Amino acid sequence: MGVACVSRVRGSRDLPLAALPLLLGVHQIIEAVVWNSGGGSGPATTAWAVVALPLLAVWVPAGVLCAAPPHARRRLGLLLAVGAATAAVLAYRLATGPVTADIRGHTVGYTVDLPQAAVLITGYLLATVGALLLSGDRGLLVLGVLVAVGALACWALWRLEFVSTWCAFAAVCSVLLFRWVNARPASSATTPAPGASRR
């Protein structure tokens, strides 16, 4: 799906979001290594945390900012700044503290020592989910709603240690991104939407 998304891109500004399914696919391969190794604190665990935490906190809002219509870019710039600040703290904690993974029932639990965890989680969600919801693009808005609902569902199922749903959720998001890429006109990256106000 990631290769299909990238190959269908019509405008360079859409490329970061179109490449997101590739990143998610690599992320799942890394987690497969974590599963097969029984968790622990090896390189695969650290790599999983780097993608999941600081990288996505910047990649998603930056990609949305690139693809968004001009009237939405100012507010998205603020969300990118929130994501960058959150990512900086997360990257520092990953570089200076241990990251461990534990097999918990049918899920994997990751442990990272985070100060002010509630603040960091809020910043992370504002940067990722918030950027999609405030993108000014209907397709990305739908994706943002799915991400918000899916994140809650994944969290609830993870708490129950019932089944790991992240793989399926990432696949559904990738399909929506593929549809979004296919629906984008070649000039979408540079032409504002009809009737869009400039702020």
Side-chain angles (χ1 to χ4, degrees), residues 54-183:
L55 184 54
L56 284 178
V58 174
W59 188 304
V60 173
V64 173
L65 176 61
C66 287
H71 71 275
R73 290 178 189 161
R74 180 178 296 178
R75 62 177 178 254
L76 292 172
L78 293 175
L79 292 177
L80 176 57
V82 171
T86 302
V89 177
L90 292 172
Y92 175 78
R93 300 306 295 187
L94 293 178
T96 59
V99 183
T100 58
D102 301 301
I103 307 300
R104 303 175 184 175
H106 300 287
T107 65
V108 182
Y110 296 88
T111 303
V112 182
D113 182 24
L114 296 178
Q116 302 294 324
V119 174
L120 290 173
I121 291 170
T122 300
Y124 185 93
L125 292 175
L126 281 173
T128 53
V129 180
L132 292 168
L133 294 175
L134 298 176
S135 63
D137 180 283
R138 182 174 298 177
L140 295 181
L141 172 62
V142 172
L143 180 61
V145 172
L146 174 69
V147 169
V149 173
L152 286 172
C154 288
W155 176 79
L157 290 171
W158 177 82
R159 294 276 295 179
L160 294 172
E161 300 180 357
F162 173 63
V163 65
S164 179
T165 54
W166 169 242
C167 298
F169 177 57
V172 172
C173 290
S174 296
V175 171
L176 281 183
L177 276 171
F178 178 72
R179 293 184 62 185
W180 174 78
V181 167
N182 278 334

